[in-house]
Amino acid sequence: MKNEKTLSRRERERLRHREEILEAAKRVFIESGYNSATMESIAAEAEFSLATLYKFFGSKENLFMEILLQMLEKLEQQSEEILNRPSTCRERLEALFDARMELHWENPGLITLVEDVVKNHHGDLECLVDLKKRYITYVNRMCLFFSEGISKGEFEDKGDRNLALVHEGMLHMYFGSLSENRNLERNRADEKALLSIFLEGAAASPQEN
């Protein structure tokens, strides 16, 4: 991909229009839900013609997939940066946990939308197949992280995959609860307690001298 500084004015304008459409689509999807959102309503929100939307994305599903990919790529990039830090596994887990919370609170409506689509569209959306594959890759990366922590004596050997699944399940249940109860304000005390509960079960006891 070209550096933005080397792009022509027309290319920069095209990128700007593309981002404006994506932002408008997010608002419509969040407000209306995936099923009720239409390309017409997204075009109206973005203030572009319907033909322009189809030229950029081709379909409502393609638009939704692009929004999903942007969110996934941010999660993957943040996670890799944190997991590769030269710090203890506990410190990295705390940083990753906070990054996941930040991602949620940056996009609370979008996270809720994705959860709803995953629940109610059982494989009939092609983009969910890619979402599942990428999420499995992410969970496998977390397995490697917990395996490292176990080998270093920072986590109890309860199975790297078990720890990864419990960690992810905890996050999904928490985000789901926020959505169900329509929590609109971040509660850092609850987050700290949640991470503490996980670590009390996962962290190895300090070795006695």
Side-chain angles (χ1 to χ4, degrees), residues 15 25 29 38 45 62 71 85 87 109 158 160 172 179-180 194 199:
L15 282 176
F29 281 133
T38 64
E45 178 70 20
N62 287 344
M71 189 171 64
R85 289 177 185 174
S87 51
K158 296 182 177 179
D160 52 29
H172 285 298
S179 299
E180 287 288 330
L194 196 66
L199 286 171

Side-chain angles (χ1 to χ4, degrees), residues 22-202:
L22 286 171
E23 288 303 314
K26 284 181 192 178
R27 294 193 295 271
V28 172
F29 281 133
I30 290 168
E31 179 68 26
S32 305
Y34 180 82
N35 285 337
S36 298
T38 64
M39 290 292 273
E40 288 82 1
S41 60
I42 294 169
E45 178 70 20
E47 298 183 341
F48 283 101
S49 70
L50 188 58
T52 298
L53 257 68
Y54 278 106
K55 181 179 177 181
F56 272 95
F57 294 101
S59 68
K60 181 175 81 169
E61 183 177 345
N62 287 344
L63 246 176
F64 185 66
M65 180 168 66
E66 186 61 32
I67 292 169
L68 278 183
L69 288 176
Q70 284 188 347
M71 189 171 64
L72 270 174
E73 284 169 3
K74 184 171 183 178
L75 170 63
E76 290 164 353
Q77 289 167 5
Q78 284 182 334
S79 300
E80 269 315 294
E81 187 276 320
I82 291 169
L83 294 176
N84 287 323
R85 289 177 185 174
S87 51
T88 68
C89 290
R90 182 182 178 116
E91 288 170 339
R92 279 178 277 162
L93 183 62
E94 290 173 349
L96 182 64
F97 183 89
D98 191 58
R100 291 287 294 275
M101 291 296 167
E102 290 287 349
L103 184 64
H104 172 84
W105 287 109
E106 285 173 9
N107 309 275
L110 186 56
I111 300 292
T112 300
L113 172 68
V114 173
E115 294 277 356
D116 179 66
V117 170
V118 169
K119 254 191 252 180
N120 296 309
H121 291 267
H122 304 288
D124 56 331
L125 290 181
E126 187 64 31
C127 61
L128 295 185
V129 176
D130 184 56
L131 176 66
K132 183 177 179 181
K133 287 178 182 176
R134 292 180 75 146
Y135 187 65
I136 288 172
T137 299
Y138 176 78
V139 171
N140 288 338
R141 178 66 181 89
M142 290 301 296
C143 290
L144 291 175
F145 165 72
F146 281 112
S147 179
E148 177 191 349
I150 291 169
S151 68
K152 290 181 175 178
E154 293 188 52
F155 299 131
E156 286 192 28
D157 190 358
K158 296 182 177 179
D160 52 29
R161 182 160 292 275
N162 291 336
L163 292 177
L165 292 176
V166 170
H167 180 260
E168 287 303 301
M170 172 188 70
L171 287 172
H172 285 298
M173 289 298 292
Y174 183 65
F175 295 147
S177 174
L178 292 176
S179 299
E180 287 288 330
N181 296 310
R182 309 232 176 242
N183 290 74
L184 300 177
E185 293 186 13
R186 186 172 181 180
N187 188 323
R188 292 181 185 273
D190 277 355
E191 293 174 14
K192 186 176 179 181
L194 196 66
L195 181 59
S196 175
I197 291 167
F198 177 78
L199 286 171
E200 285 172 11

